[in-house]
Structure formats: C-alpha cells, structure tokens
Amino acid sequence: MFEILKKEMLTPSVCRMVVSAPLVARAAKPGQFLIVRPDEKGERIPLTISDFDSEKGTVTIVTQSIGVSSAKINDKAERDCFADVVGPLGLESEFVSFSQERYAAEHYVFLAGGVGTAPVYPQAKWLKEHGAKVDVIIGARSENLLIYTEEMARVCDNLYICTDDGSKGFHGLVTAKLKELVSEGVKFTMVVAIGPMVMMKFASLTAKELGLPITVSLNMLMVDGTGMCGACRVSVGGKIRFACVEGPEFDGYLVDFDEAIRRQKQYAVEEKEAMEKHVCKIGRGR
Amino acid sequence: MMKPRIQAAEQDPKVRSHNFEEVCLGYKPEEAMEEASRCLHCKNPHCVGACPVGIDIPGFIAAVKDGRFDEAASVIARDSSLPAICGRVCPQETQCEGSCVLGIKGESVAIGKLERFVADYCEQKQCETKAKGKKVAIVGSGPAGLACGGDLAKMGYDVTIFEALHKAGGVLRYGIPEFRLPKDSVLERELGKIRSLGVKIETDVVIGRTLTIDQLFENEGFSAVFIGTGAGLPRFMGIPGENLNGVCSANEFLTRNNLMQAFREDYDTPVRTGGRCIVVGGGNVAMDAARTALRLGAETSIVYRRTEAELPARKEEVHHASQEGIEFRMLTNPVEILGDDKGNVTAVKCIRMELGEPDQSGRRSPVPVPGSEFEIPADTVIMALGTSPNPLITSTTDGLEANRKGCIVASEDGATSRPGVFAGGDAVSGAATVILAMGAGRRAAQAIDNYLKTI
C-alpha cells in the first residue's frame, strides 16, 4: 500500500505529502510525474514529483486543492493510504543526460509559479549537484501563498521572490524579474518555466523576446498517463503530441498555449457540479 | 428438416438502451442441451480448424448434449484459459461458426453461446503441477498475457503479471463495456481462476518506466519475459478541429466508462456526451463507444466511410446497436470538426463517399464525391479509428526490434530479437481480436517452456 508518511500544509490550500512508493522512488528522475488515485472511486490524478528518495523508498507530492479529486488527496491524513501511486511517468528532463562539461557551462534560470514551484525543486537540486549554475525566480500572488522558498534557497545560487501585490520581494511578475536580470547583464543559457498555463505562455513569449531557449512542463488532463487515451494531446510545432509519453516538457516556443489552456478546461462544468455535490456531502456529514 | 438455432434470451432493446447490464442473458441448461443436439459431429470438423486456439468443439458439444457439463468444461480447458470471455467477444461468424456445415443451408450451431454457457455454469478444472523453480514475467494483463501466464503456471513456472493500470484485464477491463462483458461476474471470475493457478498480478507497474525489461532480468530474477502490451495508442484523423473540446478517442471515452466507471453516480470520473454524439469508425470499438454514449443518454450516430457490408465489427454488435437505436450514416467521412468561440464542438463537416476499386485488403476503397460536403450537428465526437502498439517498451529496451508500424517483431511462436524475450497479441500483430491474442499467448507459453529447458 502507498502510505502517507508525512503531511504538512504549506498554505491553507496547498499540501505536501511524503508517500511510500519504493518502485517509483527508485526509478524517478527530475521532470517526471506520477499518478495518484486517492481511493476506489476516485480519479487518476497526474501530479509532478516534488522530490524522491530511492533509499527510503519515498516520493514527495505537492497538491493544491482545486477540485473534488485534489481535495480528496489533501483530505487524507498521515498513516492513511492512497489506493494507487503509479510512475514515474513521462520523459525525464533533457539535462539529466548532460555531460560534466556541459553542466559546468550551463546557467539555468527557473521561473516557478504557484504549486509549479514544487517540481522545480528536484530539477534545481539535480543541476546544482551536477555543477551547473542555477537561479530560481519564484512568483505568487501574495507572500502567504509562497511555497518552497527555504528549500529552494539551499539548492540554487540566487533565489528571487516576486509577488503580484508587492507583499514580499520584487513587486511584479516573474517575467518582469527575468527581463530585469537579463538587462543587468546576467547571461542565462536556458529558461525553464513551471506553473499555471498562462504564466508559461507569457514566460515563453518573454524568453523568445530575450532570445533565450525555454522549456515548459505541461500539466494536461490525463486518464491513464501511458499514451492510451490521448486526453493530454497538445499541439507542439503544429503536430499533435501526447504530454504523458512525449512530455510533459516541451519547447515553449512551439506549444500552442491557447489551445492547451482551453483543453485544460474540458471538464470545467462537470468539475464544478461535482465540487458542489462534494461540498454538499461534507456539509451533511457535519 | 433442419432444426432452427435456439435463441438465447436478450434484454429488451428499449430497456437495455438505458442500462449497462449484459445484453445477452445466455442459455439455460436445457436450452444448451437442445442447441448442442444440432451438431452433426462431422468427421472432419471445420470449426476446430477455424478456432485460433483449436478447441475440440465437437468434443465439448457432445458432452453438453448429454448434460455432462463438467466434462465439457474439461474439454475446453485443454485449449482455452478464458472461455467465459471468448464465448462473449470472439467473432464466431468468421471463425468456428463461419465454418460450420449447418451454416451453408441454415444456421450454424451457436458454438459461442454454448462455450459461454459451459464456462458460466462450471468451475475451472484444476490440474496438478510441479513447481519448476523458474520465474517468468508477463507484461500486460490482457488476453495474451493472461493466456500465456495461465499456461506457464499450469506447467509449474512462478509467474508474475505486471499491469500498468490499477486493475487487471487490459482491453477486457478498459475497452469492452459492461453490457457486453460484465466485469464482476465474468472478468473478475476469470481473473480469479488465473490467480488460483498461482499467478501473481502486480498492478500499478509500468514496464519501461517503473521497471525496465533489463531490470526484470538483472535485478528481479526473471528467466524469461513475455510482452503482451496490446495496441493501446489511439489514432486521430489529422483533420482541422480535432483538438476542440468534446472530441476524444474511443480509448479515452471507453476507459472513462469501463475502467473508471464514469457511468456510475458514485464514482468521481467525469464523462461528456452532450445531447448529440457522433462516433467515427466501423469496428467493434466504434460499436462499443456508440452503445455506451447511447446508454449515457446521447442521441448517437455512427459515421463510416464505406457501406454496411464492409463494417469490420461483429455482426451481432452491429445488429444490437441498430436495434438499440443507433443511427448508421454510411459512405460518410468527416473532413473537419467545427466549434464555437469557446472551443466546444458544434458540428462535424462530412463529405459523401462512393465505393471505387478494391484496395490491397480486397475491400472496395471509398472515394470522396466532390462538392458533397454537409454538416451534422454534434456536441461530442468520438474517434474510433483503430489503435497501434504503445512504443513505451520498444523505446526503452535495447535490442528489441520493432517494425515501421511500431509492432514488435516476433516469430510465429513469439520469439523476439532478444533472447529470453517473447511477445504476442496486438503488440506484435497490431490491433486484432481477443482470441488471436490468446492463441499467441498460448504458443509463446510453449516456446518459453522450450527455451527455459535449454538454459
């Protein structure tokens, strides 16, 4: 069984869990994701891997409670079990196979937004451990919604915090901070953006403007996560690609973000209805 | 005078189009005995030759005729590990029943319905085995893997089946709907029989990701591997509008309903049919998707580019679908899917087709009629255009040869380009039938036994 060994709330709606899943932990690499099914009647929910420990046999997931299924995950307590945890799925980040010389020559900058900050952590950690230079720009609406700031500070060279309301760090968007750093003369070799789809869209436009290559990690809807259903299909450079097996990371210049944003909302109506029912059930229980 | 075939009872089409209960109710014992008495016991039974696993059909039918049902089950068990499933989903009209002498002038013996009766009526026959002390890994718990694993376990091997999804059965679980193959009463029961042979089924393990084929040999102590991963990759048409909201593959639609039980109120899985659903394609999967959409309340049409005569689906499925009220629009091919400003499907733009010269498959190929485009209003579109093998394993296993279509290259008995690695079913042949996959699994089990005796 997939036992929840540790649970903590990072913000009122974002939860971090350390879960026992030895086979997944042994095989996981930065950039990959896994699928959790909270219980017998639950959906299969794709989540990025926020950390993994092959010796302890654990994986770390960070979930924001937005729908019935993510709420079901976050409602679980320590010592509870998930019905299923399967993975790692998707391709590992391109840099995992870099040579020693290549790492030494790289200066990565990560743009991290919202819960997307969590999967940036294992990537930054991996790059730093392999000798690359790593900067991270974390963005959130407000100070109380920032996550992973202390953890991230330990695995990067420079950490920049941005808030939309100016309650902490740079007052503005992560893209504005990136532009500022580049204009100050920082020579990045690669941009990686992980966060809400709209943030990745503008990160890609900004990177293009600055002439920097960019990788984005797409959190599409999925059912099986092994290439079987095609729910996660996305247009990349005019071709249909399956994010579950050919991604989740793609060249940000080539992704049709408007289509991807629309496809993410495929079940918005059904999800809203389900959420109302779920809240109503909770109400009855109390 | 030839006796007419005994018809098995079916749920009324008006009732069943609103539920997911099994359509065909099967024979009662006396009906089965009566139907079995129609068999002529030909000296040279063509039916056996037409069965991909060569079941002794006259043999089991003779036992049914006399009411010796347990004996009939033993006869079938010699050649098939999943009779309750094959009796339901095999294309009998092109195999055993299609070769039955009675079918020349009248109706063939209802071999499929008799097989199903025997399987439902009797418990699995167990045979004594001696443990051989060698481990075999099976990748995929669909028909090929279950047949291969079942046979190897009977021979005394320590068999583990790895399944990527959270429930076993492969296409029997995610693809074939409840009303054609009940999951608890039939699939679970057949899986239970396989497990009772000592086969272990590990779900949630994606071979190629969680563990590689090489790790199965090097770290997990397996001496041979059988790959029965099927053909699960959906095809799309490549026409404009295919990524609109409301367009999905039949695989996605069926997986949501069958594996994820979206049709049940108490499950979280969402599924979308809207008021009007169009299914593109003419195979069994198209029929399954259309009949599922209908049961979820959508007015449903099947759009197919050839005529009814070329529909690749089993006759019984086409018949059941039209009885239930599915509209068939033949000689029609989508050219574009139209949507509103929010990106939701509103209609399918189609073109009329006519049949031209026969193609390589011998079927007359459809040719578009210029200027005949028209629109069919729709809220959802389900693409049931066939599937290809998943590249997950071939792309992560060195030295495992695949052809241009992504199918694993294997000999008749399943041997691949890697010693100790065998493969069979749709992963090798491309999308085909349950029974052909079972046949391939059984031949591979024999080949694995021969191979393991040499190392």
Side-chain angles (χ1 to χ4, degrees), chain A residues 26 37 40-44 72 84 86-88 90 226-229 231 233 235 259 262-263 266-267 277, chain B residues 166-167 204 209-210 220 232-234 242-243 245-247 249 251 256 265-266 268 270 272 342-343 390:
Chain A
R26 226 166 63 191
R37 204 169 63 110
E40 200 40 48
K41 290 174 181 170
E43 287 191 83
R44 296 169 61 93
K72 263 190 172 179
D84 304 277
V86 58
T226 63
M228 217 178 77
C229 79
R233 63 191 190 277
S235 298
E259 180 188 277
R262 175 168 56 64
R263 288 190 58 78
Q266 283 228 52
Y267 286 95
K277 240 165 60 185
Chain B
H166 56 267
K167 278 192 164 26
D204 292 332
R209 290 273 190 262
T210 316
E220 307 293 325
L233 216 65
E242 217 167 6
N243 284 356
N245 289 356
V247 184
S249 71
N251 257 9
R256 284 182 183 276
E265 262 303 293
D266 53 340
D268 295 341
R272 185 163 157 178
K342 292 201 179 81
N390 197 318

Side-chain angles (χ1 to χ4, degrees), chain B residues 10-17 19 23 324:
Chain B
E10 288 179 354
Q11 265 201 82
D12 185 305
K14 284 199 202 74
V15 176
R16 72 178 193 242
S17 58
N19 70 41
V23 169
E324 288 164 10

Side-chain angles (χ1 to χ4, degrees), chain A residues 228-231 233 242, chain B residues 234-236 247-255 289 381-384:
Chain A
M228 217 178 77
C229 79
R233 63 191 190 277
F242 287 6
Chain B
R235 286 194 199 118
F236 289 93
V247 184
C248 72
S249 71
N251 257 9
E252 176 184 350
F253 184 70
L254 290 171
T255 302
V381 181
I382 300 172
M383 294 293 178

Side-chain angles (χ1 to χ4, degrees), chain B residues 307-324:
Chain B
T307 72
E308 202 151 341
E310 286 87 18
L311 283 171
R314 288 172 87 216
K315 279 206 188 82
E316 183 175 313
E317 308 312 326
V318 176
H319 173 66
H320 279 157
S322 80
Q323 260 187 337
E324 288 164 10

Side-chain angles (χ1 to χ4, degrees), chain B residues 62-370:
Chain B
V64 173
K65 183 180 149 196
D66 300 338
R68 291 176 282 119
F69 302 137
D70 279 339
E71 193 184 319
S74 305
V75 174
I76 296 174
R78 287 206 299 264
D79 301 295
S80 171
S81 357
L82 306 164
I85 291 165
C86 295
R88 286 172 165 86
V89 303
C90 266
Q92 288 98 1
E93 73 259 21
T94 60
Q95 297 175 0
C96 54
E97 294 179 17
S99 321
C100 176
V101 175
L102 280 185
I104 300 170
K105 287 200 172 152
E107 288 173 298
S108 58
V109 175
I111 301 168
K113 297 280 185 290
L114 287 172
E115 180 188 24
R116 167 191 163 154
F117 165 78
V118 171
D120 288 356
Y121 196 83
C122 304
E123 286 304 313
Q124 167 105 339
K125 300 289 130 210
Q126 293 286 359
C127 17
E128 291 292 308
T129 49
K130 235 171 74 197
K132 287 206 164 71
K134 275 183 185 154
K135 286 170 71 180
V136 182
I138 310 267
V139 187
S141 65
L146 291 175
C148 185
D151 276 15
L152 286 166
K154 284 184 200 163
M155 293 174 197
Y157 291 102
D158 181 354
V159 178
T160 305
I161 300 182
F162 294 100
E163 167 57 49
L165 296 173
H166 56 267
K167 278 192 164 26
V171 73
L172 307 170
R173 175 73 67 180
Y174 73 77
I176 303 179
E178 187 72 23
F179 54 83
R180 211 148 76 74
L181 184 70
K183 302 292 168 268
D184 286 342
S185 59
V186 180
L187 178 58
E188 282 299 344
R189 189 162 159 237
E190 298 282 299
L191 288 169
K193 291 178 190 170
I194 300 278
R195 285 196 182 96
S196 73
L197 296 168
V199 174
K200 293 180 278 289
I201 303 182
E202 299 281 350
T203 53
D204 292 332
V205 181
V206 186
I207 301 297
R209 290 273 190 262
T210 316
L211 290 168
T212 60
I213 298 282
D214 292 306
Q215 286 173 321
L216 291 177
F217 284 109
E218 287 157 22
N219 309 341
E220 307 293 325
F222 290 98
S223 308
V225 174
F226 173 77
I227 303 170
T229 44
L233 216 65
R235 286 194 199 118
F236 289 93
M237 294 188 81
I239 58 174
E242 217 167 6
N243 284 356
L244 285 168
N245 289 356
V247 184
C248 72
S249 71
N251 257 9
E252 176 184 350
F253 184 70
L254 290 171
T255 302
R256 284 182 183 276
N257 277 286
N258 302 334
L259 173 73
M260 304 301 296
Q261 305 272 296
F263 69 92
R264 287 178 53 173
E265 262 303 293
D266 53 340
Y267 278 71
D268 295 341
T269 319
V271 69
R272 185 163 157 178
T273 50
R276 295 159 304 182
C277 174
I278 296 208
V279 178
V280 184
N284 286 320
V285 173
M287 301 302 140
D288 285 345
R291 296 171 69 195
T292 299
L294 179 94
R295 281 162 172 74
L296 292 171
E299 205 176 282
T300 308
S301 322
I302 284 180
V303 164
Y304 181 57
R305 59 197 179 125
R306 302 176 201 245
T307 72
E308 202 151 341
E310 286 87 18
L311 283 171
R314 288 172 87 216
K315 279 206 188 82
E316 183 175 313
E317 308 312 326
V318 176
H319 173 66
H320 279 157
S322 80
Q323 260 187 337
E324 288 164 10
I326 308 263
E327 188 188 358
F328 285 78
R329 291 170 178 265
M330 299 293 106
L331 291 170
T332 304
N333 204 29
V335 289
E336 185 179 355
I337 299 166
L338 308 170
D340 60 18
D341 54 357
K342 292 201 179 81
N344 292 311
V345 172
T346 55
V348 182
K349 188 172 174 191
C350 296
I351 189 160
R352 298 219 186 276
M353 309 292 278
E354 57 190 14
L355 290 185
E357 295 302 310
D359 62 10
Q360 302 106 311
S361 71
R363 294 187 300 179
R364 293 176 65 193
S365 53
V367 188
V369 178

